[in-house]
Amino acid sequence: MARPASTQPTEVELRILRKLWESGPSTAREVHNALNEDKGTNYSTTVKMLAVMFEKGLVERDESAFPMTFTAATGQEETRRNVMSEVIQKLYDGSAKSLVLQVLSSQEASKADLDEIRQLIEQLDGQKAAASRKRAAKRRGT
Amino acid sequence: MARPASTQPTEVELRILRKLWESGPSTAREVHNALNEDKGTNYSTTVKMLAVMFEKGLVERDESAFPMTFTAATGQEETRRNVMSEVIQKLYDGSAKSLVLQVLSSQEASKADLDEIRQLIEQLDGQKAAASRKRAAKRRGT
DNA sequence: ACAGAGTAGCGAAGTAATTCGCTTGTGCAA
DNA sequence: TTGCACAAGCGAATTACTTCGCTACTCTGT
């Protein structure tokens, strides 16, 4: 009769993960210093957060070191994929295309950015073409 | 000493908004039926949610009708922009380009999708080119 | 070995989000 | 007009998320 735990990292959790992705293994103090620049939270809070995240399996820790060091349990790429996949489902009815079109038209993208994106598209296109040639060859062979 | 209210619509709020975007003005009962297909929540819950969302300003209601009808206070486009802009900040260090590149490589996109995206890029490119020609002309004129 | 400084853990408090039971109000049909 | 069925509102319960204060522990330097 209540709220289900979020499937994605929460606000503060994400800030902590970002620090860990950026800096690698870090002590609670280091994480705290990074956080503290934005928010003026107490050191205890950071420690507690890390403890909670450890229980959730979001971070790992090296207890042999003193002070302990923490690392993100999941990579940035994977987390991004997860979050995006949920966003696409919940906000774009599962259409990645819609999302991309919308982001491209509403967010600023430099010419260089656009070029880079175009390049990736060419490449993906190439892969698709190769794949369909392969399928055709297989059909002929059957 | 606690949690700030989320700046974005929450899980359930989003489901409700989606129904409203899709169907336009709807009664609590209609919203509930739509929700109930996924989750087996009580009708009271839906009514309460709509009341909370009304207080937050997420939905508007026409009290002259009986039963009342609700509409989303903000459009789908706007909500998408808001959410995406936050995601880009929090997860991609503000780089829309990174997000697009990542979504394109990790999500399935058909050839037709890619074509459509390519077209948009051409168009944006064209606008940029026109804009820079204009700036150059202005410089010459100064 | 001892004091001072920083580290780790615990439990509790406070807000947000979700859920519902129960009461009250409204419109329609017999 | 009376009763039935559904609509709307209220307050409370429950869980998740954040934040701390306080206690106990571990190093390090003297």
Side-chain angles (χ1 to χ4, degrees):
Chain A
M1 202 218 276
R3 205 169 35 148
S6 156
T7 59
Q8 302 295 345
T10 64
E11 181 71 23
V12 185
E13 285 168 354
L14 206 46
R15 293 213 209 190
I16 292 179
L17 288 177
R18 286 178 64 180
K19 161 67 179 168
L20 294 179
W21 286 328
E22 193 187 302
S23 312
S26 313
T27 65
R29 178 64 60 184
E30 288 162 347
V31 170
H32 177 63
N33 289 341
L35 271 200
N36 208 33
E37 296 182 9
D38 316 310
K39 329 208 313 156
T41 61
N42 195 291
Y43 173 70
S44 277
T45 303
T46 304
V47 171
K48 179 62 155 188
M49 270 328 230
L50 285 168
V52 169
M53 291 172 77
F54 177 66
E55 280 161 28
K56 285 191 186 177
L58 284 175
V59 300
E60 290 163 356
R61 51 185 202 189
D62 177 359
E63 305 183 25
S64 70
F66 185 91
M68 288 175 163
T69 57
F70 296 83
T71 29
T74 55
Q76 186 171 34
E77 282 304 301
E78 192 184 336
T79 303
R80 284 175 168 177
R81 267 201 305 279
N82 265 328
V83 173
M84 285 319 298
S85 140
E86 203 172 291
V87 167
I88 290 171
Q89 289 311 315
K90 292 199 302 187
L91 210 57
Y92 292 88
D93 295 298
S95 164
K97 182 197 70 173
S98 304
L99 179 143
V100 169
L101 288 177
Q102 211 238 306
V103 169
L104 283 180
S105 12
S106 65
Q107 304 282 327
E108 268 317 306
S110 71
K111 190 154 189 329
D113 290 349
L114 293 180
D115 281 344
E116 211 172 320
I117 294 166
R118 190 187 357 244
Q119 258 177 35
L120 175 63
I121 290 182
E122 301 300 338
Q123 190 193 322
L124 291 174
D125 248 359
Q127 284 170 15
K128 284 205 182 298
S132 65
R133 270 197 305 280
K134 208 164 182 177
R135 275 195 303 279
K138 194 162 188 179
R139 267 199 303 281
R140 271 197 307 280
T142 307
Chain B
M1 203 219 275
R3 206 170 32 149
S6 158
T7 58
Q8 302 295 346
T10 65
E11 182 72 23
V12 185
E13 285 168 353
L14 207 46
R15 293 215 209 188
I16 292 179
L17 287 177
R18 286 177 64 179
K19 162 66 180 170
L20 294 179
W21 286 327
E22 193 187 301
S23 311
S26 313
T27 64
R29 177 64 61 185
E30 286 161 350
V31 170
H32 176 62
N33 289 340
L35 272 200
N36 208 34
E37 295 183 7
D38 317 310
K39 331 210 309 160
T41 61
N42 194 293
Y43 174 70
S44 277
T45 303
T46 304
V47 171
K48 179 63 155 188
M49 271 320 210
L50 285 168
V52 169
M53 290 173 77
F54 177 66
E55 279 161 30
K56 286 191 185 176
L58 283 175
V59 299
E60 289 164 355
R61 49 182 206 190
D62 177 358
E63 305 183 24
S64 71
F66 185 91
M68 288 176 164
T69 57
F70 296 83
T71 27
T74 56
Q76 185 170 36
E77 281 304 302
E78 192 184 336
T79 302
R80 283 175 169 176
R81 267 201 307 278
N82 265 328
V83 172
M84 285 319 298
S85 141
E86 204 173 290
V87 167
I88 290 172
Q89 288 310 314
K90 292 199 303 190
L91 210 57
Y92 292 88
D93 295 299
S95 164
K97 181 197 69 174
S98 304
L99 178 142
V100 170
L101 288 177
Q102 211 238 313
V103 168
L104 284 180
S105 14
S106 65
Q107 304 282 327
E108 270 317 307
S110 71
K111 190 152 189 331
D113 290 348
L114 293 179
D115 281 345
E116 211 172 321
I117 294 166
R118 192 188 352 245
Q119 258 177 34
L120 175 62
I121 291 181
E122 302 300 338
Q123 190 193 321
L124 291 174
D125 245 0
Q127 284 170 15
K128 284 203 181 303
S132 66
R133 270 197 304 281
K134 210 164 182 178
R135 275 195 303 277
K138 195 162 187 180
R139 267 199 303 282
R140 271 196 306 282
T142 308

Coordinates of all heavy atoms in Angstrom, one line a residue, chain B residues 2-3 5-6 10-12 39 41-42 44-45 48-49 56 66, chain C residues 12-23 25-28:
Chain B
A2 N 15.0 17.4 4.7 CA 14.3 16.3 4.0 C 14.5 16.4 2.5 O 15.4 17.0 2.0 CB 12.9 16.3 4.4
R3 N 13.5 15.9 1.8 CA 13.6 15.8 0.4 C 12.8 16.9 -0.3 O 11.7 17.1 0.0 CB 13.0 14.5 0.0 CG 13.6 14.0 -1.3 CD 13.2 12.6 -1.6 NE 11.9 12.2 -1.0 CZ 11.2 11.4 -1.6 NH1 11.6 10.8 -2.7 NH2 10.0 11.1 -1.1
A5 N 10.7 18.5 -3.3 CA 9.7 17.9 -4.3 C 10.4 17.8 -5.6 O 11.1 18.7 -6.0 CB 8.5 18.8 -4.4
S6 N 10.2 16.7 -6.3 CA 10.7 16.5 -7.6 C 10.3 17.6 -8.6 O 9.1 18.1 -8.5 CB 10.3 15.2 -8.2 OG 10.4 15.1 -9.5
T10 N 6.1 12.6 -11.6 CA 6.5 11.3 -11.1 C 5.9 10.2 -12.0 O 5.1 10.5 -12.9 CB 6.1 11.1 -9.7 OG1 4.7 11.1 -9.7 CG2 6.6 12.2 -8.8
E11 N 6.4 9.1 -11.7 CA 5.9 7.8 -12.3 C 4.4 7.8 -12.7 O 4.0 7.9 -13.8 CB 6.2 6.7 -11.4 CG 5.8 5.3 -11.9 CD 6.7 4.9 -13.0 OE1 7.9 5.4 -13.1 OE2 6.3 4.0 -13.8
V12 N 3.6 7.8 -11.6 CA 2.1 7.7 -11.8 C 1.6 9.0 -12.5 O 0.7 8.9 -13.3 CB 1.4 7.5 -10.5 CG1 0.0 7.3 -10.7 CG2 2.1 6.4 -9.7
K39 N -1.7 -1.2 -13.9 CA -1.6 -1.4 -12.4 C -3.0 -1.6 -11.9 O -4.0 -1.1 -12.4 CB -1.1 -0.1 -11.7 CG -0.2 0.7 -12.6 CD 0.8 1.5 -11.8 CE 0.2 2.3 -10.6 NZ 1.1 2.6 -9.6
T41 N -4.7 -0.6 -9.4 CA -5.0 0.3 -8.2 C -6.5 0.7 -8.1 O -7.3 0.6 -9.1 CB -4.2 1.6 -8.3 OG1 -4.6 2.3 -9.5 CG2 -2.8 1.4 -8.4
N42 N -6.9 1.1 -6.9 CA -8.2 1.4 -6.6 C -8.7 2.7 -7.3 O -7.8 3.6 -7.5 CB -8.3 1.5 -5.1 CG -9.7 1.5 -4.6 OD1 -10.5 2.5 -4.9 ND2 -10.1 0.5 -3.9
S44 N -10.3 5.1 -5.9 CA -9.9 6.2 -5.0 C -8.5 6.8 -5.2 O -8.3 8.0 -5.1 CB -10.0 5.7 -3.5 OG -11.3 5.7 -3.0
T45 N -7.6 5.9 -5.5 CA -6.3 6.3 -5.7 C -6.2 7.2 -6.9 O -5.5 8.3 -6.8 CB -5.4 5.0 -6.0 OG1 -5.5 4.2 -4.9 CG2 -3.9 5.4 -6.1
K48 N -7.5 10.6 -6.0 CA -6.6 11.3 -5.2 C -5.4 11.9 -6.0 O -5.0 13.0 -5.8 CB -6.1 10.4 -4.1 CG -5.1 11.0 -3.1 CD -5.7 12.2 -2.4 CE -5.0 12.4 -1.1 NZ -5.7 13.4 -0.2
M49 N -4.9 11.0 -6.8 CA -3.8 11.5 -7.7 C -4.2 12.7 -8.5 O -3.4 13.7 -8.5 CB -3.5 10.3 -8.7 CG -2.4 9.4 -8.1 SD -1.2 10.3 -7.2 CE 0.2 9.4 -7.4
K56 N -0.9 20.7 -7.6 CA 0.5 21.0 -8.1 C 0.4 21.8 -9.4 O 1.4 22.2 -9.9 CB 1.2 19.7 -8.4 CG 1.7 18.9 -7.2 CD 2.7 17.8 -7.8 CE 3.1 16.9 -6.7 NZ 4.0 15.7 -7.3
F66 N -20.3 17.4 -15.3 CA -20.5 16.3 -14.3 C -20.6 15.0 -15.1 O -21.4 14.9 -15.9 CB -21.8 16.5 -13.5 CG -21.9 15.4 -12.4 CD1 -21.4 15.6 -11.2 CD2 -22.5 14.2 -12.7 CE1 -21.5 14.6 -10.2 CE2 -22.6 13.2 -11.7 CZ -22.1 13.4 -10.5
Chain C
dA12 P 15.4 4.3 16.8 OP1 14.9 3.8 18.1 OP2 15.0 3.7 15.6 O5' 15.1 5.9 16.7 C5' 16.0 6.8 17.2 C4' 15.7 8.2 16.6 O4' 16.5 8.3 15.4 C3' 14.3 8.3 16.2 O3' 13.9 9.7 16.4 C2' 14.3 7.9 14.7 C1' 15.6 8.5 14.3 N9 16.1 8.0 13.1 C8 16.2 6.7 12.7 N7 16.8 6.5 11.5 C5 17.1 7.8 11.1 C6 17.8 8.3 10.0 N6 18.2 7.5 9.0 N1 17.9 9.6 9.9 C2 17.5 10.4 10.9 N3 16.9 10.0 12.0 C4 16.7 8.7 12.1
dA13 P 12.5 10.2 16.4 OP1 12.2 10.6 17.8 OP2 11.6 9.1 15.8 O5' 12.5 11.4 15.5 C5' 13.6 12.3 15.6 C4' 13.6 13.2 14.4 O4' 14.2 12.4 13.2 C3' 12.2 13.6 14.0 O3' 12.2 14.9 13.5 C2' 11.9 12.6 12.8 C1' 13.3 12.4 12.2 N9 13.5 11.2 11.4 C8 13.1 9.9 11.7 N7 13.5 9.0 10.8 C5 14.1 9.8 9.8 C6 14.7 9.4 8.6 N6 14.7 8.2 8.1 N1 15.2 10.4 7.9 C2 15.1 11.7 8.4 N3 14.6 12.1 9.5 C4 14.1 11.1 10.2
dG14 P 10.8 15.7 13.3 OP1 11.0 17.0 14.0 OP2 9.7 14.8 13.6 O5' 10.8 16.0 11.8 C5' 11.9 16.6 11.2 C4' 11.8 16.7 9.7 O4' 12.1 15.4 9.2 C3' 10.3 16.9 9.3 O3' 10.2 17.7 8.2 C2' 9.8 15.5 9.0 C1' 11.1 14.9 8.4 N9 11.1 13.4 8.4 C8 10.6 12.5 9.3 N7 10.8 11.3 9.0 C5 11.4 11.3 7.8 C6 11.8 10.2 7.0 O6 11.7 9.0 7.1 N1 12.4 10.7 5.8 C2 12.6 12.1 5.5 N2 13.2 12.3 4.3 N3 12.2 13.1 6.3 C4 11.6 12.6 7.4
dT15 P 8.7 18.2 7.6 OP1 8.7 19.6 7.7 OP2 7.7 17.3 8.3 O5' 8.8 17.7 6.1 C5' 9.9 18.2 5.3 C4' 9.9 17.5 4.0 O4' 10.2 16.1 4.2 C3' 8.6 17.5 3.3 O3' 8.8 17.8 1.9 C2' 7.9 16.2 3.6 C1' 9.2 15.3 3.6 N1 9.0 14.0 4.3 C2 9.5 12.9 3.7 O2 10.0 12.9 2.6 N3 9.3 11.7 4.4 C4 8.7 11.6 5.6 O4 8.5 10.5 6.1 C5 8.2 12.8 6.2 C7 7.6 12.8 7.6 C6 8.4 14.0 5.6
dA16 P 7.5 18.1 1.0 OP1 7.9 19.2 0.1 OP2 6.3 18.0 1.7 O5' 7.6 16.8 0.1 C5' 8.9 16.3 -0.4 C4' 8.7 15.1 -1.3 O4' 8.7 13.9 -0.5 C3' 7.4 15.1 -2.2 O3' 7.7 14.6 -3.4 C2' 6.5 14.3 -1.3 C1' 7.4 13.3 -0.7 N9 7.0 12.7 0.6 C8 6.6 13.5 1.7 N7 6.2 12.7 2.7 C5 6.5 11.4 2.3 C6 6.3 10.2 2.9 N6 5.9 10.0 4.2 N1 6.7 9.1 2.2 C2 7.1 9.2 0.9 N3 7.3 10.4 0.2 C4 7.0 11.4 1.0
dA17 P 6.7 14.4 -4.5 OP1 7.3 14.5 -5.8 OP2 5.5 15.3 -4.2 O5' 6.2 12.9 -4.3 C5' 7.2 11.9 -4.6 C4' 6.6 10.5 -4.5 O4' 6.1 10.3 -3.2 C3' 5.3 10.3 -5.4 O3' 5.5 9.0 -6.0 C2' 4.2 10.4 -4.5 C1' 4.8 9.9 -3.2 N9 4.2 10.3 -1.9 C8 4.0 11.6 -1.5 N7 3.6 11.7 -0.2 C5 3.6 10.4 0.2 C6 3.3 9.8 1.4 N6 2.9 10.5 2.5 N1 3.4 8.4 1.5 C2 3.8 7.7 0.4 N3 4.1 8.2 -0.8 C4 4.0 9.5 -0.8
dT18 P 4.5 8.6 -7.3 OP1 5.4 7.8 -8.1 OP2 3.8 9.8 -7.8 O5' 3.4 7.6 -6.6 C5' 3.7 7.1 -5.5 C4' 2.8 6.1 -4.9 O4' 2.5 6.6 -3.6 C3' 1.5 5.8 -5.6 O3' 1.5 4.3 -5.7 C2' 0.5 6.3 -4.6 C1' 1.2 6.4 -3.3 N1 0.8 7.5 -2.3 C2 0.6 7.1 -1.0 O2 0.6 5.9 -0.7 N3 0.3 8.1 -0.2 C4 0.3 9.4 -0.5 O4 0.0 10.2 0.4 C5 0.6 9.8 -1.8 C7 0.6 11.2 -2.3 C6 0.8 8.8 -2.7
dT19 P 0.1 3.7 -6.5 OP1 0.6 2.5 -7.2 OP2 -0.6 4.8 -7.2 O5' -0.9 3.3 -5.3 C5' -0.3 2.5 -4.3 C4' -1.3 2.5 -3.1 O4' -1.2 3.7 -2.4 C3' -2.8 2.4 -3.5 O3' -3.3 1.1 -3.3 C2' -3.5 3.3 -2.5 C1' -2.4 3.9 -1.7 N1 -2.6 5.3 -1.4 C2 -2.9 5.7 -0.2 O2 -3.0 4.9 0.8 N3 -3.1 7.1 0.0 C4 -3.0 8.0 -1.0 O4 -3.2 9.2 -0.7 C5 -2.7 7.6 -2.3 C7 -2.6 8.5 -3.4 C6 -2.5 6.3 -2.4
dC20 P -4.7 0.7 -3.9 OP1 -4.8 -0.7 -4.0 OP2 -5.0 1.6 -5.0 O5' -5.7 1.1 -2.7 C5' -5.4 0.5 -1.4 C4' -6.2 1.2 -0.3 O4' -5.9 2.6 -0.2 C3' -7.7 1.1 -0.5 O3' -8.2 0.3 0.6 C2' -8.2 2.5 -0.4 C1' -7.0 3.2 0.3 N1 -6.8 4.7 -0.2 C2 -7.0 5.7 0.8 O2 -7.2 5.4 1.9 N3 -6.9 7.0 0.4 C4 -6.6 7.3 -0.9 N4 -6.5 8.5 -1.2 C5 -6.4 6.2 -1.9 C6 -6.6 5.0 -1.5
dG21 P -9.6 -0.3 0.6 OP1 -9.5 -1.8 0.9 OP2 -10.3 0.1 -0.6 O5' -10.2 0.4 1.8 C5' -9.6 0.4 3.1 C4' -10.3 1.2 4.1 O4' -10.1 2.6 3.8 C3' -11.9 1.0 4.1 O3' -12.4 1.1 5.4 C2' -12.4 2.1 3.2 C1' -11.4 3.2 3.4 N9 -11.1 4.1 2.3 C8 -10.9 3.7 1.0 N7 -10.7 4.7 0.2 C5 -10.7 5.8 1.0 C6 -10.5 7.2 0.7 O6 -10.2 7.7 -0.4 N1 -10.6 8.0 1.8 C2 -10.8 7.6 3.1 N2 -10.9 8.5 4.0 N3 -11.0 6.3 3.4 C4 -10.9 5.5 2.3
dC22 P -13.9 0.9 5.7 OP1 -14.0 0.4 7.0 OP2 -14.6 0.2 4.5 O5' -14.4 2.4 5.7 C5' -13.6 3.4 6.4 C4' -14.3 4.7 6.5 O4' -13.9 5.6 5.4 C3' -15.8 4.7 6.4 O3' -16.3 5.7 7.2 C2' -16.1 4.8 4.9 C1' -15.0 5.9 4.6 N1 -14.7 5.9 3.2 C2 -14.3 7.2 2.6 O2 -14.3 8.2 3.4 N3 -14.0 7.3 1.3 C4 -14.0 6.2 0.6 N4 -13.6 6.3 -0.7 C5 -14.3 4.9 1.1 C6 -14.6 4.8 2.4
dT23 P -17.9 5.8 7.5 OP1 -18.1 5.8 8.9 OP2 -18.7 4.9 6.6 O5' -18.2 7.4 7.0 C5' -17.3 8.4 7.4 C4' -17.5 9.6 6.6 O4' -17.1 9.5 5.2 C3' -19.0 10.0 6.5 O3' -19.2 11.4 6.7 C2' -19.4 9.5 5.1 C1' -18.1 9.8 4.3 N1 -17.9 9.0 3.1 C2 -17.5 9.7 2.0 O2 -17.4 10.9 1.9 N3 -17.3 8.9 0.8 C4 -17.4 7.6 0.8 O4 -17.2 7.0 -0.3 C5 -17.8 6.9 2.0 C7 -18.0 5.4 2.0 C6 -18.0 7.7 3.1
dG25 P -22.8 16.5 2.2 OP1 -22.7 17.9 2.5 OP2 -23.9 15.7 2.6 O5' -22.7 16.4 0.6 C5' -21.4 16.8 0.0 C4' -21.6 16.6 -1.5 O4' -21.5 15.2 -1.8 C3' -22.9 17.1 -2.1 O3' -22.6 17.7 -3.3 C2' -23.7 15.8 -2.2 C1' -22.7 14.8 -2.6 N9 -23.0 13.4 -2.2 C8 -23.4 12.9 -1.0 N7 -23.5 11.6 -1.0 C5 -23.2 11.2 -2.3 C6 -23.2 9.9 -2.9 O6 -23.4 8.8 -2.4 N1 -22.8 10.0 -4.2 C2 -22.4 11.2 -4.9 N2 -22.1 11.0 -6.2 N3 -22.5 12.4 -4.3 C4 -22.8 12.3 -3.0
dT26 P -23.8 18.5 -4.1 OP1 -23.2 19.7 -4.8 OP2 -25.0 18.6 -3.3 O5' -24.1 17.5 -5.3 C5' -23.1 17.0 -6.1 C4' -23.6 16.2 -7.2 O4' -23.8 14.8 -6.8 C3' -24.9 16.7 -7.7 O3' -24.9 16.6 -9.1 C2' -26.0 15.7 -7.2 C1' -25.1 14.4 -7.1 N1 -25.5 13.4 -6.1 C2 -25.4 12.1 -6.5 O2 -25.1 11.7 -7.6 N3 -25.8 11.2 -5.5 C4 -26.2 11.5 -4.2 O4 -26.4 10.6 -3.4 C5 -26.2 12.9 -3.9 C7 -26.6 13.3 -2.5 C6 -25.9 13.8 -4.8
dG27 P -26.0 17.3 -10.1 OP1 -25.3 18.1 -11.2 OP2 -27.0 18.0 -9.2 O5' -26.6 16.0 -10.7 C5' -25.7 15.2 -11.5 C4' -26.5 14.0 -12.0 O4' -26.8 13.1 -10.8 C3' -27.8 14.3 -12.6 O3' -27.9 13.6 -13.8 C2' -28.9 13.9 -11.6 C1' -28.1 12.8 -10.8 N9 -28.5 12.6 -9.4 C8 -28.7 13.5 -8.5 N7 -29.0 13.1 -7.3 C5 -28.9 11.7 -7.5 C6 -29.1 10.6 -6.5 O6 -29.4 10.7 -5.3 N1 -29.0 9.4 -7.2 C2 -28.7 9.2 -8.5 N2 -28.6 7.9 -8.9 N3 -28.5 10.2 -9.4 C4 -28.6 11.4 -8.8
dC28 P -29.2 13.6 -14.8 OP1 -28.8 13.8 -16.2 OP2 -30.2 14.5 -14.2 O5' -29.7 12.1 -14.6 C5' -28.8 11.0 -14.4 C4' -29.5 9.7 -14.2 O4' -29.9 9.5 -12.8 C3' -30.9 9.7 -15.0 O3' -31.1 8.4 -15.4 C2' -31.9 10.2 -13.9 C1' -31.3 9.5 -12.7 N1 -31.6 10.3 -11.4 C2 -31.7 9.5 -10.2 O2 -31.6 8.3 -10.3 N3 -32.0 10.2 -9.0 C4 -32.1 11.5 -9.0 N4 -32.3 12.1 -7.8 C5 -31.9 12.3 -10.2 C6 -31.7 11.6 -11.3

